Amino acid sequence: MSEKGTDRSAQARQERAEAQTESRVMEDLVNALLAEGMLDGYDRVTLVSPDEWRELIRIDGALAAADRLFGPHAKAHVYRWRANSGDGRAAELVFPVFPAVVQAYRLVANAGVYELATGAEGGAVPRKIGPLELMTRTLDLHEGNQEVDPDSAKRLLDMIAQTLQQTAWTLENELTGDVLPGQDASSSLLALERKAAFRDRPFHPVAKVKMGLAEADYRRYSPEFGGGITLRWMAVSRKHIVAGEGARDAEPARLLLAEEEEARVREEMEKRGLAADDYVPLPVHPWQMTGLAEHLREEMAAGVCVPLAAEAGVYHATSSLRSLMPESGEGLHVKLPLGLHSLGGLRYLSAIKLMNGGRAERLMRSALERDAELGRRLFLCDETAWWAYLPESRDLFAEAPRHLSAMLRQYPPELAADEGVRLVPMSALAVFGSSEGGHVFDEWLRSRGSRDRSGRRPAVRGSDACFLHGRPAPVPSGHDARGARTELRTGRGARAGEGTAAPRSRRAARARALAVGKRSCRPGVPAAAELSELPVPRRSRQAAFLFPDAGHSGERLRRSRQSVPLLRHPGKAAMAGAARDVGAGGRFGRADGRGATDR
């Protein structure tokens, strides 16, 4: 293809991505506004029944023109919203909705929202508006509401603008080909994580935005672009490290790196006089490494934290961005803190979050022990191996510790070693590729050879469906609720429990070994349990230990459903209907960010 032809193709792909982006974000935004009742209780907003709408378009040419632009929408209700146009003239917004299950109404897919400039001679010509304009009109509708924080409103508009830009970058990189057929279990999980990233948190209007990432970094570190991420390393004084009960006497470098990679890290430490008995090398995301010089300035000056030049360990971002999996797809995953804003919160990983995640995991495991049926249906990831920097003061709420930590995640061996099982990020179920067979279920059916000679798809039996034998699995134990996985059985390989394949790499062997027995970590590295007697900071005594979602009190849950989305909440722009973040506190009180949940 000529250079001119290549440019035209790239431009067409960009324009198509921008159109798809606006349609998707608009649909999610309208549905969020409807779910939260943001348009309810205003005389200027009315819902018209299908019969009433048919009568209106019969006598009103402008409404009839908008109706034709809606596309197929048999028996749709229509919202009519009297508003002001950008130039102050009277206008009306119209968009079709249909009755739904999880909320009263949802926007008809790809229909759009149209503005009709009323009072114009010859009738109004419908104009399609975008998500930013719709949100601006919504804020105008709530003008005078004292609960709406102007700064949060401005931040939300900025998040929508960046969502449109970043989602368009993602959609320029179209999905091609199937994920499941022809790939082994570990490779398919990595591919499905990338697929899930195309939708991120399904149906959240600003799910894709990662505030703080420039375009080059977005394309470099986002999972949908498939680039490898080489870990950076920071040597941290053992006196300032707290570790989880699953850390044993091993270290991140030993578990995450190949022998020659670990040797490079150890060699640099030795040359710089950083004795292995005194320092622990912790992995750092390369994007995060650039900001640690500011956040850990005092620690670096005192030699408590020493950045290493060595780069070792090629990993790939999963759909949560800060959780990484090895290039081979097998072995341990590592979760690292990132100072990025996502959904109004910073994606830090402080010691208090890791401690509370361990408590959540112990509670869940105790439930499995007490309920045989639950134990058969539910699998938990092991997230007990973690390391975090803790200052001399042992202040769990200090700023610096949030920036430097690492948690390892091991998937249940009985599933990870079963080639007849494919782990599927649940958010991947909301992703449709550009081809006819782009959904993961279509791929799964083809991988099982489930098309007959006529090309028709047979009915899927309940026992063959996504929740095989009713088992959703595995679930991250306390840190990454969004990363929940379900399993698909491909028909290849042995059933879980009928034998496990030998690990194919040093990393995989150590991941397997990590699940066998728990011992205390190396002397000088305090286990998290040893901090249970630390004095509780006064500011945290009022906080309760909350688990994701289920931890809301009834009153809090009621308020979360009825409140105006842009409440006065320092440092947060809360969007109605959007996965509200819950801080987890335990006896140490509430932590900043999402507590025991993830990104």
Side-chain angles (χ1 to χ4, degrees), residues 56 82 91 132 149 154 166 171 199 204 260 271 311 355 361 364 389 429 442 464 477 486-487 507 513 521 560 587 597:
L56 285 170
R82 296 196 309 276
L132 269 174
D149 177 23
K154 182 179 179 181
Q166 293 183 0
L171 294 182
R199 201 65 175 93
H204 191 300
E260 62 277 11
K271 288 180 178 179
E311 300 181 11
M355 293 174 188
E361 180 172 347
M364 296 175 76
Y389 165 66
L429 301 179
D442 294 298
D464 282 339
S477 303
T486 187
E487 66 170 280
R507 273 183 210 148
C521 50
S560 73
R587 63 173 288 153
T597 63

Side-chain angles (χ1 to χ4, degrees), residues 326-531:
E327 192 168 30
S328 65
E330 61 183 4
L332 297 168
H333 295 201
V334 58
K335 182 175 179 179
L336 303 171
L338 278 179
L340 292 171
H341 282 270
S342 177
L343 298 177
L346 286 166
R347 304 297 99 189
Y348 290 132
L349 188 62
S350 59
I352 185 64
K353 290 186 178 183
L354 294 164
M355 293 174 188
N356 285 333
R359 293 178 177 182
E361 180 172 347
R362 288 194 295 273
L363 179 65
M364 296 175 76
R365 291 193 183 281
S366 68
L368 298 184
E369 293 172 358
R370 299 183 184 198
D371 190 316
E373 184 65 15
L374 186 63
R376 186 179 74 85
R377 293 175 178 268
L378 182 66
F379 296 83
L380 298 179
C381 291
D382 187 331
E383 298 183 339
T384 58
W386 56 264
W387 300 259
Y389 165 66
L390 203 59
E392 191 73 36
S393 66
R394 290 306 199 246
D395 184 354
L396 294 168
F397 298 91
E399 169 69 19
R402 304 189 299 171
H403 299 275
L404 187 57
S405 59
M407 185 203 78
L408 306 188
R409 174 179 296 141
Q410 175 170 4
Y411 283 86
E414 63 269 35
L415 294 181
D418 187 347
E419 278 299 321
V421 169
R422 295 294 181 268
L423 301 180
V424 181
M426 293 189 71
S427 53
L429 301 179
V431 179
F432 291 82
S434 56
S435 64
E436 177 272 335
H439 193 274
V440 64
F441 279 168
D442 294 298
E443 299 176 21
W444 175 63
L445 288 170
R446 284 193 292 275
S447 74
R448 292 179 63 96
S450 297
R451 286 181 180 269
D452 62 23
R453 293 183 179 179
S454 67
R456 293 176 299 179
R457 300 173 191 158
V460 180
R461 296 173 299 172
S463 60
D464 282 339
C466 171
F467 293 92
L468 179 70
H469 307 309
R471 300 189 304 175
V475 176
S477 303
H479 301 279
D480 197 342
R482 183 188 61 165
R485 308 293 185 267
T486 187
E487 66 170 280
L488 296 177
R489 191 166 293 279
T490 64
R492 299 193 300 269
R495 291 179 178 274
E498 291 183 354
T500 56
R504 290 176 289 175
S505 68
R506 176 173 179 259
R507 273 183 210 148
R510 284 175 177 162
R512 187 74 53 82
L514 192 63
V516 182
K518 302 292 179 186
R519 301 196 300 275
S520 61
C521 50
R522 182 177 297 188
V525 182
E530 296 173 18
L531 291 177

Side-chain angles (χ1 to χ4, degrees), residues 18-253:
E18 291 174 353
Q20 292 173 348
T21 294
E22 183 161 305
S23 177
R24 174 188 296 180
V25 176
M26 177 62 89
E27 184 178 347
D28 290 344
L29 179 58
V30 170
N31 290 335
L33 295 175
L34 294 177
E36 287 296 314
M38 293 293 293
L39 306 182
D40 297 340
Y42 291 91
D43 293 337
R44 288 185 286 166
V45 183
T46 58
L47 182 63
V48 178
S49 72
D51 291 339
E52 292 172 322
W53 179 250
R54 282 194 292 271
E55 180 62 23
L56 285 170
I57 62 176
R58 189 180 65 82
I59 60 177
D60 190 314
L63 294 180
D67 182 80
R68 289 190 292 271
L69 294 172
F70 289 162
H73 60 281
K75 299 183 178 180
H77 297 67
V78 177
Y79 268 95
R80 301 184 67 186
W81 175 354
R82 296 196 309 276
N84 291 323
S85 62
D87 56 8
R89 294 181 301 169
E92 180 178 15
L93 304 181
V94 292
F95 56 91
V97 297
F98 61 91
V101 176
V102 297
Q103 61 188 74
Y105 295 96
R106 294 180 63 85
L107 179 69
V108 173
N110 301 316
V113 177
Y114 289 87
E115 178 192 77
L116 307 175
T118 58
E121 293 184 7
V125 177
R127 180 180 69 88
K128 192 173 186 178
I129 69 172
L132 269 174
E133 187 172 353
L134 176 66
M135 195 63 228
T136 300
R137 300 293 182 84
T138 304
L139 293 172
D140 291 342
L141 186 66
H142 287 266
E143 185 178 6
N145 188 335
Q146 297 301 312
E147 289 187 301
V148 176
D149 177 23
D151 291 336
S152 294
K154 182 179 179 181
R155 192 177 304 115
L156 177 58
L157 290 173
D158 186 36
M159 292 172 69
I160 293 174
Q162 291 193 48
T163 295
L164 291 167
Q165 180 64 81
Q166 293 183 0
T167 303
W169 293 338
T170 288
L171 294 182
E172 286 178 33
N173 182 34
E174 292 183 341
L175 286 171
T176 56
D178 290 350
V179 171
L180 293 177
Q183 296 199 37
D184 58 25
S186 55
S187 299
S188 68
L189 176 57
L190 177 56
L192 286 167
E193 286 283 1
R194 290 172 179 164
K195 185 164 191 164
F198 278 76
R199 201 65 175 93
D200 210 276
R201 288 179 177 86
F203 321 122
H204 191 300
V206 293
K208 283 301 296 178
V209 67
K210 304 297 179 291
M211 300 180 73
L213 276 185
E215 180 176 0
D217 289 333
Y218 185 89
R219 294 179 182 275
R220 179 180 179 186
Y221 297 124
S222 295
E224 55 267 42
F225 294 92
I229 299 172
T230 304
L231 298 177
R232 297 293 305 276
W233 294 84
M234 178 81 74
V236 184
S237 170
R238 290 185 180 275
K239 297 178 181 179
H240 296 82
I241 288 285
V242 60
E245 60 180 320
R248 305 170 59 197
D249 56 351
E251 297 175 0

